[in-house]
Amino acid sequence: MNAWTASRIRTTKGRQKLACLTAYDFTTARLVDESGAPLILVGDSLAMTVLGYDNTLPVTMDEMLHHVKAVTRGVKQALVVADMPFLSFQISVEDAIRNAGRFLKEARAGAVKIEGGATRATTVRALTDNGIPVLGHIGLTPQSINAMGGYKVQGRRPEEAQRLLDDAKALEGAGIFALVLECMPPALADEITRAVQVPTIGIGAGPHCDGQILVTPDLLGMHGSVHPKFVKEYAALGTAMQQAFQAYRDDVENGRFPTAEHCY
Ligand code: KIV
């Protein structure tokens, strides 16, 4: 069993800030794990970052399973959380248990993530009662982009903020081990963080959360200059990759690669 488990993540509340990241493939997962990240999410952001879809809705259970398997092969320490894709948990509780169970049984994930608030409490309770740890996710929930009318900051109006606070408490009551807060004012994230006993993990939710998560290709600067305001780029890999590909092409076209040192 990996050093980081859902129950260990739960115990970090108020003691340790959690620096979490996403991963979608073996090599990146191994590098993120070696950096000491406690939690690695195989997000349904896979749909956009790796598979080239416009949003997260099209990604399937089979695509997610394929990538969660690759990630768990690369991870020795971190808790690997598999994101439940759109329509894998909404249709029925039975469906949710079957699909979440596949992530643990076939792909060796340690937990699943589910988007949504109080309306998901029954499903979360059924999963946790069956030994499947659940990471909650409220605020901006990208699977509801059509209902929300776009990627917008959530909880700015008092009634929205109250609903998010109620959602957090309902999910905590249903047994989540931690809660992702996405795109909300820092003051609201702070209030939610103080209102629940489980760690909150923010993305675009300010500094008061118990941890942070970023989409790894965003942090690595692989998507050019277009990214959400909350992203901090720690590298410019997109530019570095383009330069490397162009230098390789230039070398091949001009007979500079391969040379004697690359030959048998
Ligand atoms: O899919 C994802 O990567 C996520 C994170 C942004 C939390 O849900």
Side-chain angles (χ1 to χ4, degrees):
M1 175 166 278
N2 294 7
W4 283 98
T5 59
S7 49
R8 181 168 168 203
I9 295 278
R10 206 178 197 290
T11 64
T12 61
K13 177 91 182 175
R15 297 192 202 170
Q16 180 182 348
K17 287 266 189 182
L18 301 165
C20 311
L21 285 170
T22 67
Y24 316 96
D25 67 276
F26 169 82
T27 303
T28 312
R30 182 174 57 75
L31 294 169
V32 173
D33 192 41
E34 286 172 2
S35 79
L39 183 155
I40 298 177
L41 172 69
V42 188
D44 63 355
S45 48
L46 166 76
M48 293 143 97
T49 56
V50 177
L51 303 181
Y53 292 117
D54 287 342
N55 57 51
T56 59
L57 301 191
V59 74
T60 64
M61 268 303 295
D62 286 342
E63 287 167 332
M64 288 298 301
L65 275 166
H66 181 73
H67 287 267
V68 176
K69 286 179 189 174
V71 166
T72 56
R73 281 183 215 119
V75 173
K76 293 198 172 78
Q77 302 296 326
L79 171 70
V80 176
V81 180
D83 214 354
M84 299 282 293
F86 183 56
L87 291 193
S88 68
F89 61 91
Q90 291 93 336
I91 294 167
S92 69
V93 170
E94 288 77 8
D95 231 25
I97 296 174
R98 189 174 305 109
N99 286 322
R102 289 189 71 193
F103 282 126
L104 271 63
K105 203 176 156 103
E106 297 173 36
R108 297 193 305 112
V112 298
K113 176 168 83 58
I114 284 192
E115 288 187 11
T119 51
R120 301 294 166 217
T122 306
T123 303
V124 170
R125 173 48 66 201
L127 293 175
T128 54
D129 280 352
N130 283 289
I132 302 172
V134 180
L135 174 61
H137 181 165
I138 61 171
L140 173 60
T141 46
Q143 290 176 15
S144 305
I145 180 184
N146 290 303
M148 287 176 164
Y151 298 107
K152 295 178 184 161
V153 177
Q154 303 294 304
R156 279 202 164 124
R157 291 200 306 270
E159 66 275 17
E160 268 180 16
Q162 185 57 52
R163 184 179 49 75
L164 288 170
L165 195 56
D166 294 344
D167 282 342
K169 289 180 183 160
L171 291 171
E172 179 184 33
I176 55 167
F177 69 90
L179 179 62
V180 171
L181 304 180
E182 179 163 354
C183 276
M184 63 180 66
L188 175 58
D190 187 24
E191 194 180 350
I192 294 174
T193 299
R194 283 186 284 106
V196 295
Q197 299 303 309
V198 295
T200 57
I201 301 174
I203 175 162
H208 309 298
C209 299
D210 298 299
Q212 298 290 325
I213 187 162
L214 282 177
V215 169
T216 295
D218 290 344
L219 165 146
L220 294 176
M222 294 177 75
H223 295 307
S225 53
V226 188
H227 55 66
K229 177 181 165 140
F230 60 74
V231 170
K232 178 171 176 184
E233 288 188 358
Y234 287 83
L237 283 205
T239 307
M241 286 166 80
Q242 273 172 341
Q243 284 169 353
F245 300 147
Q246 276 160 14
Y248 163 70
R249 182 179 145 207
D250 202 42
D251 276 1
V252 171
E253 287 179 356
N254 291 290
R256 287 192 298 268
F257 176 83
T259 59
E261 62 178 309
H262 306 113
C263 294
Y264 295 105

